[in-house]
Each structure stands twice: as structure tokens, then as C-alpha cells.
Amino acid sequence: MKLTSNDKTLTLDFDGKGTSLSMEGCRLLKFREFEDKIFLIGCYHYSVRKNQLDWIEGRTSSDHVKRYNVRLNTTDRKGVVDGFDYITREVDYVILYEAAMYNNTAQPKIYDVTDNTILHEQDMLDLNYPKPHGDYIVYTLGEEVFFEQIKLAQIIKFNQLVFPNWDDNTPLFLTGRQIRKSYTRNKRKTKFTFIDLFAGLGGFHLALESIGGECVYASELRDDLRAQYVHNYGLSRDRINPDITLLSSDEIIRRQVPAHDVLCGGFPCQPFSKAGKRQGFDDEEGRGNMFDFIEKIVRVHRPKYLFLENVSNLESHDSGNTWKVIESRLTALGYQVDKRVLSPHQFGYPQHRKRIYIVGADTRAGYNLNHFVFPVPTNRPCDVTRLIDTNSKYYLPITSEQRRRLNHWETFLHLCEEHHVQVPKFPIWAMEWGATYDYDVTAPAFQTVAELKGKRGHLGQRITGKTLDECLAQLPNYAQTNKNKEFPDWKIRYIQHNREFYEQNREWLQPWLEVMREWENSFLKFEWNCPATSTCTMHDKLVQFRASGIRVKDATFAPALNLMLSQIPILPWVNLPADTVKPGDPTIGRYMTIREASKLQGMECLDFSHLQPSRVYEALGNAVNVQVVKNIAKRLINIKNHGKS
């Protein structure tokens, strides 16, 4: 390839066939011919301290890969050219020049692009990038293409005229086509193949494809998620199994499931989850035996690697026996196996979501985990607010009732501060304030009417009634249980703490408490999960309206996305765009949007248009975290020799 220029055109010569790029009359430089190629013109800043060129050319990176990055989240540029995001365009070549030399005759470098992916700040740190800040689209560069010297001043001048608000060194696209408006994953060089079982939204797919994998098969039970998978990844429907239990024999598996290098699967977690019945392999709905079908596919195709995910409780379920069964069955097949419980927040990704990750290597084929090490938590500070779009108009607002409840608890926080009282670390049960019924020896359900009558129950109201049921109905709901003759220690402790707190602060608590007499039980419980250094307000926190009460935590990392819509994090500080608020509705405070929730999972590049909003939240709550999976996969899959011993 030969590249030359004059005052008006930039000419590229492909194998002797000249192709001109005109600078006149175009918002962007467009190809007149050869319209299947796209160029990105970028710059680097020469600095001995940052060694930017050394990093780009792979001389300082730990894996010696050449990369060029474009930051996505700067507030002045917002990663947009001509109305389209950088990530909507698939670049074929990158032309680089030194920023300090753009007014002179420069010697640019042109590289072909072998891959591109979205990397977050922690990824850039992992790559030893000098002082990263924010998220990037990173182009992996191939061979350098040599060409004659050109003057870049004309391009810079044109750039300034077209984009006057941008600085001199902003990258500029040369384009002859528009790619569809969604994240375009580059599939030019497949390095390994994988299958994505129990695929959901495709977290494994996103992670493994970003490091060179090609998905050749998937399974997903739910119809709408299969349609979503086809839409986002382009996998043909006949490659997505609607029911993995149909793989009932080795012959069917050989015929339907292609051979592959890596088997991935976030197999159903409900049988092992703390939130479920914990029936494990004996799950009454048959979900516990889904591991059997993973085992069958492994036995037939013997992939080089296994990569599975489940809830962290899998490790301790049934006193550790569940994990022992899984490990022994994989070991019997000839796989070396390892596991680790990890959470995104341990690596700077702002979500607390502990999951167990299981990896395996086929020792019979010469593969092993001898040099594999799970990512070591960096415990870098998290800040969930960087994912929040305060201008979003696509949101679910909180109700007027919820706003009033939050405002009243906000007053409680201010009263604590005013009276120099530390906000309790134990769960606040306001219905216990003023109560005097006995609880620490025998549970009320096993007491007599005479023992209860005349004492005080819910919100300090005097207990009356002729029957035990009538008396019990006047107690806080958690005190009415008849399962055990004695309360568990934790319940006794919380009741005691709440009564002591009330007695110590009765003078200012009682007037504040009067407003709450008709409130639902869930609004009478309040959990302040914030460190002592936090400001005594909810206006910079994350809030959840849970069945167990209102939970408040610092806006460092979000709680795990949950299948329950009632647990979607609330952002009480966000001012709502005026043109979206109905008369009489709150003007501040909303739920986390779908796009923001998808960022927590590393899935912001997906299009969710095939799903109802409630299903998107549910699917995100059941998905794997792309960034954690990617960090593990990069260590598991050795591209050069696939980890072979």
C-alpha cells in the first residue's frame, strides 16, 4: 500500500489501483471508490513519562500486543463523530502520527486492525496502560503497512473546521459505509471455538468472543431470550437448542452439538441458592440435574477447557457435598479442575455479586491448569455513579408514596446528626419502638393471653383481646411466628438493640414516629449499610425497597442485580428531566435504568429491544458478569498453545 497527499486529496494505492479521498464538500472524508474500507486517523502524545508510543507498539505491554485506544466517556467529546458512536464503526486500518509534529512533515504509521473491543479502566490497568481514566474502545493492531511521507496539516485543519469544539488531536474517521447502530464485534480471526449453555443474555459469549472466540452452539430454554440471542449475536436459530434435555444420547449430541474448544455454562443456580429451597441435585423442578447434560457433552466432545459459573453457595451447599460430587465427576472424566468465588467489586467494577467460577482442562489430551491462576482481587475503589446517566429519559420513577417515605427517613438521619447519635448499624425495626411484650425466653405464640394482655406491641400500642390470636395480631409481624418455642439468637439481639435505642432517644423519636402508624411493615424497617465516614443523608446513596425493609448503602458498588423487580437500586439524588415529569409526581429519584443495569454486567453493548423491560431486569439479574468472565478466560485460554503441556 502507498499513501500520498496534496492540498485537497489523500491518495491510497492498493496494489497499484489509486483511490482518492476528497476533503471538499464532505462532513466526513468519504471514499469515492473502494468503499469497503474504513480508516481511523489518530495521534499519540510523545512523552517519556507515559511511554505512549511504546505502549501502542507493544514494547511495554506485558503481552507485547500493539493496541491503539480511543476514550469513550469524555464529557466534551462523548465518543461521537457525525452523530454516530465510535463503537458503531468497524475500523480496518489505523493511521497514527505524533501530536507534536502535526504542523510539520510527519512520518505517520499505518497498521491493519485485527480486532477491537470495549475495555474498562481496570482492563487498561491490567494491560499496563499509563494512567488510564474511563472506558475505551481498543484496536488491536496487526502488521505495519509502509508508505511515503505525507503532510497531515491539511487533515488537522479540516478536522478543526468540521469539529470546532474538539481539540486538535481528536481522532477522525475516514469512512465509506455506515455499519449498523450497535456494537459490532470483530470476527476476523477466530482463535478458538466455544459453546454457550444456559446462555441467557450471552455473558459468556461477549467475554469469549472479545478475546478471539467463536460461538458455534448455544442452549437457552426461554423463547424470548433465544430471539434476543439471535438478534444480538447473529447465531442461526438451528444452532440454539431450546431444551438441553433433548440431548438424551451420545448419538444425538454428536449430531447436534459441534466439536468445540471451550464449554461454557452458567447452569441453573436456584437449586443451590440461599434464596431458593436448596434442594440441589434433587430439585423438584428438575433443575438440579442440568449438570448431567454438561457431563454428557464433555464425555462426547472432550473440549480442551471447561468454564462454568454458579452461585457462591454451591461451594458450601449440603455441607460441601454438592461441590465434591461435581469435582469428582469432572475428575473422573480426566479433567483437572479448579474453582474460585469472585465478585466484580473486587476488581473495580461497581457491583457486589459473588459467584463461583469453575474451570477445567482436559489432561488426557495434554492440557492442564498448572500455569493457570485466577485473577487476584485488586480491591480498587468502585464508584457506581460513573455508570449513571443523569439525563436519561428512559426510566421508572419512584412513586409519590415512596418519595414521602424516603423524605421521612431522611428526617430521621438529620435528627440523628442533630442529636449527635450514630445511625444504628443493626436493622432498625421501628415497629418495636415502645414495645414491652416478653420475647427473650418464650416466643409470644407460646405464651398465654394473660402473659400478653396489657403489655405493649406494634409501635407501642397496648395489647388487648380475648384470644391468643387477637393478642398476637397486635405484635410486630416477625413476633407472631409459631414455628419455634424460642426466637433465634439474632432476632432476640435485634429486638433488644431496637428497644435500647428507643429508650435512649425516646424524647425526639416519639414525635417523629407518630407519622408512621399507618405505614406498611416494609417501610418501618430501615438498614443503614454505610461506613461511619459517610454523610448522614440518602441524597448521595443507593436505596432499595425490599420486603425486609428500606436498605441504604454508599454509591460505591451496587448490590447484585436480582430477579425481583422490587430490589432494583433506586437513585434518590437524580433530578428527573422536567419534560418527563407528570404534574404532582416527584421531580427527584428514580430506579436504575436498563442501560445502567446492563453496564453493571458489562452488557451495555447489547440491544434489548426484543424483551419487555421487566424481562430485561430479570435476565440481567440471572446473567454472568462479562468483565469477570473475560478476566478469567484470558488466563485460562492460552492462545498460542491452548495451555498444552
Side-chain angles (χ1 to χ4, degrees):
M1 178 186 293
K2 185 170 69 174
L3 183 63
T4 58
S5 74
N6 56 37
D7 289 341
K8 293 185 178 181
T9 63
L10 183 67
T11 302
L12 297 95
D13 192 348
F14 295 90
D15 298 327
K17 299 179 180 179
T19 301
S20 294
L21 299 165
S22 174
M23 292 186 182
E24 296 181 326
C26 300
R27 179 157 177 76
L28 286 178
L29 304 184
K30 295 181 181 294
F31 279 108
R32 299 301 189 190
E33 304 173 35
F34 208 78
E35 294 190 349
D36 63 338
K37 298 296 179 185
I38 298 180
F39 285 73
L40 171 64
I41 294 184
C43 71
Y44 61 88
H45 294 264
Y46 177 75
S47 169
V48 175
R49 178 172 55 86
K50 289 190 174 182
N51 295 321
Q52 192 168 24
L53 182 59
D54 285 344
W55 188 86
I56 291 172
E57 295 189 334
R59 295 196 291 265
T60 61
S61 178
S62 58
D63 52 3
H64 308 290
V65 175
K66 293 177 289 188
R67 295 183 175 93
Y68 180 68
N69 60 287
V70 178
R71 191 162 66 188
L72 293 177
N73 63 345
T74 51
T75 56
D76 55 339
R77 302 177 194 172
K78 299 181 180 177
V80 176
V81 177
D82 199 24
F84 300 111
D85 291 354
Y86 284 132
I87 58 175
T88 66
R89 299 173 183 270
E90 202 172 49
V91 175
D92 295 289
Y93 295 94
V94 170
I95 303 174
L96 297 175
Y97 64 95
E98 183 185 327
M101 297 178 64
Y102 70 81
N103 282 322
N104 304 313
T105 299
Q107 178 64 61
K109 296 173 178 286
I110 181 168
Y111 298 93
D112 68 311
V113 175
T114 63
D115 195 11
N116 60 269
T117 188
I118 300 295
L119 293 185
H120 301 287
E121 185 168 326
Q122 180 58 50
D123 296 297
M124 301 298 283
L125 284 168
D126 291 343
L127 292 172
N128 296 323
Y129 182 69
K131 296 188 177 181
H133 176 67
D135 300 341
Y136 298 78
I137 182 167
V138 174
Y139 301 96
T140 303
L141 306 180
E143 295 299 320
E144 182 177 355
V145 180
F146 295 97
F147 51 88
E148 297 177 2
Q149 287 189 345
I150 64 171
K151 289 180 181 289
L152 291 175
Q154 295 94 339
I155 296 177
I156 299 300
K157 183 177 180 180
F158 176 80
N159 195 22
Q160 292 172 319
L161 292 173
V162 175
F163 307 108
N165 295 325
W166 292 15
D167 66 42
D168 292 348
N169 303 318
T170 300
L172 174 67
F173 272 109
L174 311 181
T175 178
R177 59 175 174 154
Q178 174 188 330
I179 294 181
R180 63 188 179 88
K181 284 190 178 182
S182 65
Y183 176 45
T184 303
R185 287 164 299 279
N186 214 327
K187 296 184 179 179
R188 292 177 187 155
K189 293 186 179 180
T190 298
K191 300 169 183 175
F192 61 92
T193 58
F194 66 93
I195 65 173
D196 188 7
L197 306 179
F198 317 103
L201 291 173
F204 275 109
H205 191 131
L206 283 173
L208 270 69
E209 189 178 72
S210 72
I211 63 171
E214 178 185 359
C215 183
V216 294
Y217 184 81
S219 74
E220 173 51 50
L221 181 65
R222 289 152 293 190
D223 293 342
D224 55 352
L225 292 185
R226 287 200 306 279
Q228 186 72 45
Y229 201 92
V230 171
H231 174 70
N232 275 316
Y233 304 113
L235 196 67
S236 61
R237 287 184 176 272
D238 62 341
R239 289 287 186 177
I240 306 180
N241 186 335
D243 185 357
I244 199 171
T245 65
L246 298 176
L247 301 177
S248 55
S249 69
D250 291 358
E251 180 184 354
I252 293 175
I253 292 173
R254 289 191 187 94
R255 187 169 64 246
Q256 294 189 8
V257 182
H260 49 279
D261 297 314
V262 186
L263 180 148
C264 303
F267 56 106
C269 63
Q270 293 89 338
F272 314 106
S273 173
K274 291 181 180 180
K277 298 180 180 179
R278 307 191 198 185
Q279 295 173 326
F281 291 117
D282 297 322
D283 179 62
E284 62 192 24
E285 297 183 31
R287 297 168 298 187
N289 65 356
M290 291 299 102
F291 180 77
D292 296 348
F293 295 94
I294 293 175
E295 186 180 24
K296 289 178 181 179
I297 296 172
V298 171
R299 188 180 64 249
V300 171
H301 281 299
R302 302 203 61 83
K304 299 178 178 72
Y305 297 107
L306 311 177
F307 192 178
L308 308 175
E309 178 263 4
N310 211 294
V311 292
S312 60
N313 195 54
L314 177 74
E315 187 176 21
S316 59
H317 180 264
D318 191 20
S319 301
N321 290 323
T322 296
W323 165 246
K324 290 179 182 177
V325 170
I326 291 175
E327 183 180 32
S328 63
R329 286 164 67 173
L330 293 177
T331 302
L333 287 172
Y335 282 78
Q336 184 181 358
V337 180
D338 198 1
K339 71 181 187 317
R340 188 64 52 85
V341 173
L342 297 170
S343 172
H345 81 280
Q346 296 173 317
F347 303 94
Y349 307 122
Q351 184 187 190
H352 186 280
R353 185 184 182 82
K354 285 188 175 181
R355 291 295 187 270
I356 188 170
Y357 297 93
I358 304 167
V359 297
D362 184 3
T363 59
R364 294 179 185 174
Y367 301 91
N368 61 68
L369 301 178
N370 295 345
H371 301 291
F372 169 78
V373 179
F374 276 102
V376 178
T378 59
N379 295 316
R380 295 184 181 277
C382 298
D383 181 8
V384 75
T385 60
R386 70 183 179 88
L387 304 182
I388 305 304
D389 179 5
T390 56
N391 297 316
S392 176
K393 297 184 178 182
Y394 304 98
Y395 63 84
L396 176 64
I398 61 175
T399 65
S400 298
E401 179 187 22
Q402 290 172 325
R403 183 74 260 177
R404 286 193 296 271
R405 303 296 189 255
L406 287 179
N407 289 343
H408 195 60
W409 278 109
E410 180 73 15
T411 300
F412 167 78
L413 296 175
H414 294 166
L415 287 170
C416 285
E417 192 171 40
E418 179 182 330
H419 291 87
H420 307 289
V421 174
Q422 184 177 0
V423 181
K425 292 297 183 183
F426 54 84
I428 294 175
W429 294 349
M431 63 278 277
E432 195 62 42
W433 293 351
T436 60
Y437 65 89
D438 295 326
Y439 65 92
D440 54 348
V441 178
T442 304
F446 295 88
Q447 298 177 25
T448 64
V449 171
E451 290 175 306
L452 290 171
K453 195 171 181 179
K455 293 187 172 66
R456 296 187 180 275
H458 182 84
L459 291 172
Q461 295 178 343
R462 191 170 297 279
I463 300 172
T464 60
K466 298 180 179 180
T467 67
L468 181 60
D469 286 343
E470 289 176 349
C471 292
L472 290 176
Q474 298 169 60
L475 300 179
N477 60 333
Y478 52 78
Q480 300 175 22
T481 177
N482 61 1
K483 291 183 178 180
N484 296 293
K485 192 172 181 178
E486 297 179 0
F487 282 161
D489 290 342
W490 63 267
K491 184 178 288 188
I492 292 174
R493 186 169 62 253
Y494 288 166
I495 291 175
Q496 180 183 355
H497 288 337
N498 272 279
R499 291 192 182 184
E500 290 175 351
F501 180 78
Y502 176 73
E503 290 302 322
Q504 293 167 1
N505 302 282
R506 177 198 294 262
E507 183 178 350
W508 59 270
L509 277 179
Q510 188 57 43
W512 177 84
L513 189 62
E514 289 300 319
V515 177
M516 307 168 71
R517 293 201 173 276
E518 303 302 321
W519 284 19
E520 299 89 339
N521 281 319
S522 62
F523 289 130
L524 294 172
K525 295 181 179 180
F526 186 83
E527 294 182 39
W528 180 256
N529 293 346
C530 303
T533 55
S534 292
T535 54
C536 203
T537 178
M538 283 186 282
H539 290 317
D540 57 358
K541 307 291 192 300
L542 294 179
V543 176
Q544 285 178 292
F545 286 127
R546 302 163 57 94
S548 60
I550 299 172
R551 178 177 290 179
V552 183
K553 68 179 302 296
D554 268 2
T556 49
F557 48 79
L561 294 174
N562 195 288
L563 301 181
M564 301 293 293
L565 291 179
S566 61
Q567 295 188 26
I568 300 171
I570 290 170
L571 316 172
W573 74 86
V574 175
N575 290 299
L576 308 181
D579 58 345
T580 66
V581 179
K582 297 179 181 178
D585 285 350
T587 60
I588 184 172
R590 62 166 172 81
Y591 286 88
M592 182 176 283
T593 67
I594 286 175
R595 185 56 56 187
E596 291 160 350
S598 68
K599 288 180 180 179
L600 290 177
Q601 291 287 56
M603 295 182 170
E604 62 269 31
C605 57
L606 295 184
D607 179 359
F608 300 105
S609 59
H610 282 56
L611 296 176
Q612 293 296 321
S614 60
R615 287 288 287 128
V616 178
Y617 284 114
E618 179 183 352
L620 285 170
N622 204 31
V624 297
N625 185 276
V626 174
Q627 295 301 332
V628 175
V629 169
K630 180 178 177 180
N631 284 347
I632 298 172
K634 287 190 296 187
R635 291 160 173 81
L636 176 66
I637 304 166
N638 186 313
I639 300 304
K640 292 183 179 179
N641 59 17
H642 291 298
K644 208 164 186 177
S645 59

